[in-house]
Amino acid sequence: MTSPVHGSAGSHAAGTRTDDATATSSPRTGAPVLEVEDLRVEFRSRGPVVNAVNGVSYAIAPGETMAILGESGCGKSVSAQAIMGILDVPPAHITGAIRFEGRDMLQMGAEDQRKIRGPGVSMIFQDALSALNPVYSVGDQIGEMFRAHRGTSKKEAKDRAVELMDRVRIPAARQRVDDYPHQFSGGMRQRVMIAMALALDPKVLIADEPTTALDVTVQAQVMDLLKDLQRDTGMGLILITHDLGVVNEVADRVAVMYAGKVVETGTIDDVFTRPAHPYTRGLMSSIPVLDGKGQRLNPIVGAPPSLARIPPGCSFHPRCPMARRGDGGRPDCTSDVPPLREVAAGRRAACHYSEELLHG
Ligand code: SF4
């Protein structure tokens, strides 16, 4: 049986480079457990090259929650899939570095990568029903993690599966361990996925839109569960989402992505109260607030670009209300690529005119 939590290792090749690969450091003390540096993912098949991830860098410390925020198709999920080794290579071409406890996974062989994925870095997906195998019981699927990685006997693996189901608060775990995925609600299936992801005590958990398919009440329960589990285990949590409310409630830091790049990073408080990039500001202005009577929403005009045809200069310029043609020696948003740079203490943004947003 193949586990949906783990992926196969991939091979890698060179891609084009730009200058926005500045690493984002973690504010927590101690060495980061996972560092992504200048990660690039291209898809090369017939037709134009798709630049899905264009030089993304971030680091996560034990116990920290970092949100990766952006619209669909901005590359946030692809970057996570590259970390997990679940992209088919080819057509994917992956370059950069993905360091787990200082060791670059992209320079390892497949077997060494497999030893890290699961015990080191694990992932849960948004659609638990399609991620789970319908012909195996949930107990078999959770237990497979122990059998595959630890050589545990079938009986012991089942006992461990029951323990994990208890831990993720699935009621009557002992009675339900032999049930199949379709016999569980959406929220309970997501708990099964979380149990599988936690089976080997990972140091980093990547949660890709873990609550998108769930209703609002169940979303809150699943996020509470993830935070409780993180508090118990001290794992780092990378939360991939387009939901600003979830980010605001659970994350310590955020990396905002647009067209395959990180365009802003900082603490939640800083980024949410004083965005340093027009795209982030647009995201903030497009969500309603509870007591905002008569509030005027200002959605971002236009649509994100195709990753096969990313605009020159600043990729956000066709949608940006602050975009400028260069004059008097100032940068031209339509041709000059803005690097991701420090714009205030602990803040980075990829905009030529961030200071005007922060101080204007
Ligand atoms: Fe807008 Fe120019 Fe800043 Fe890009 S660099 S976000 S186009 S102001």
Side-chain angles (χ1 to χ4, degrees):
M1 179 170 50
T2 303
S3 161
V5 173
H6 298 281
S8 59
S11 61
H12 320 286
T16 50
R17 304 175 75 86
T18 57
D19 59 350
D20 64 339
T22 315
T24 53
S25 60
S26 162
R28 302 220 172 193
T29 53
V33 62
L34 181 73
E35 294 170 279
V36 174
E37 188 177 338
D38 196 18
L39 180 66
R40 293 166 192 275
V41 181
E42 295 176 356
F43 292 97
R44 299 177 185 173
S45 52
R46 274 176 293 179
V49 173
V50 174
N51 297 289
V53 180
N54 297 307
V56 164
S57 300
Y58 56 78
I60 183 157
E64 181 180 39
T65 299
M66 193 180 72
I68 301 184
L69 178 70
E71 293 166 282
S72 298
C74 70
K76 56 191 191 304
S77 292
V78 174
S79 60
Q81 288 160 4
I83 294 171
M84 292 308 298
I86 54 178
L87 294 172
D88 287 331
V89 179
H93 250 59
I94 306 171
T95 58
I98 300 170
R99 283 188 288 274
F100 177 77
E101 296 184 326
R103 295 173 62 213
D104 186 357
M105 291 161 67
L106 295 185
Q107 302 303 322
M108 293 177 189
E111 185 54 26
D112 284 341
Q113 290 189 28
R114 196 185 74 84
K115 285 180 188 157
I116 288 180
R117 292 177 180 128
V121 186
S122 197
M123 183 166 175
I124 54 176
F125 302 89
Q126 64 175 274
D127 185 358
L129 187 57
S130 55
L132 291 168
N133 191 325
V135 301
Y136 290 96
S137 72
V138 299
D140 277 344
Q141 294 186 63
I142 299 170
E144 173 69 10
M145 306 300 296
F146 299 107
R147 290 200 295 277
H149 284 266
R150 305 247 161 99
T152 310
S153 72
K154 201 165 179 190
K155 180 184 176 318
E156 194 186 334
K158 187 168 179 176
D159 289 342
R160 300 293 303 275
V162 172
E163 283 169 25
L164 273 168
M165 288 169 71
D166 270 333
R167 194 166 156 209
V168 298
R169 303 176 201 152
I170 295 174
R174 177 67 65 183
Q175 288 77 44
R176 302 214 63 189
V177 68
D178 293 322
D179 285 355
Y180 290 85
H182 73 271
Q183 295 173 281
F184 289 81
S185 67
M188 288 297 149
R189 281 195 293 267
Q190 195 55 283
R191 285 167 195 256
V192 172
M193 286 297 302
I194 294 170
M196 293 174 67
L198 294 182
L200 304 175
D201 292 323
K203 294 189 175 170
V204 176
L205 177 65
I206 303 173
D208 186 2
E209 305 272 12
T211 60
T212 299
L214 307 176
D215 68 47
V216 175
T217 313
V218 181
Q219 279 182 13
Q221 292 167 354
V222 169
M223 287 315 306
D224 285 349
L225 172 66
L226 281 173
K227 289 304 286 181
D228 289 349
L229 292 167
Q230 184 189 31
R231 216 169 15 247
D232 293 347
T233 62
M235 66 187 175
L237 179 61
I238 298 175
L239 181 64
I240 297 170
T241 184
H242 63 271
D243 187 330
L244 287 146
V246 169
V247 173
N248 194 25
E249 283 200 5
V250 304
D252 301 309
R253 286 188 303 133
V254 62
V256 181
M257 282 189 70
Y258 186 79
K261 292 183 179 180
V262 172
V263 296
E264 179 163 7
T265 65
T267 65
I268 294 299
D269 281 352
D270 282 346
V271 172
F272 274 53
T273 52
R274 267 189 328 142
H277 193 284
Y279 176 62
T280 317
R281 186 164 77 165
L283 289 177
M284 302 294 159
S285 328
S286 59
I287 51 167
V289 290
L290 268 182
D291 56 355
K293 284 187 190 149
Q295 177 201 8
R296 199 180 176 87
L297 298 181
N298 296 304
I300 303 169
V301 295
S306 159
L307 295 173
R309 284 185 301 279
I310 295 175
C314 172
S315 55
F316 187 55
H317 83 256
R319 305 173 76 191
C320 180
M322 288 176 57
R324 293 167 198 185
R325 296 269 177 189
D327 53 25
R330 289 160 62 111
D332 185 331
C333 297
T334 66
S335 58
D336 299 326
V337 177
L340 185 64
R341 63 194 171 87
E342 186 148 349
V343 294
R347 308 280 309 270
R348 291 177 193 272
C351 170
H352 297 304
Y353 299 104
S354 286
E355 284 75 6
E356 288 186 21
L357 276 181
L358 289 173
H359 310 298

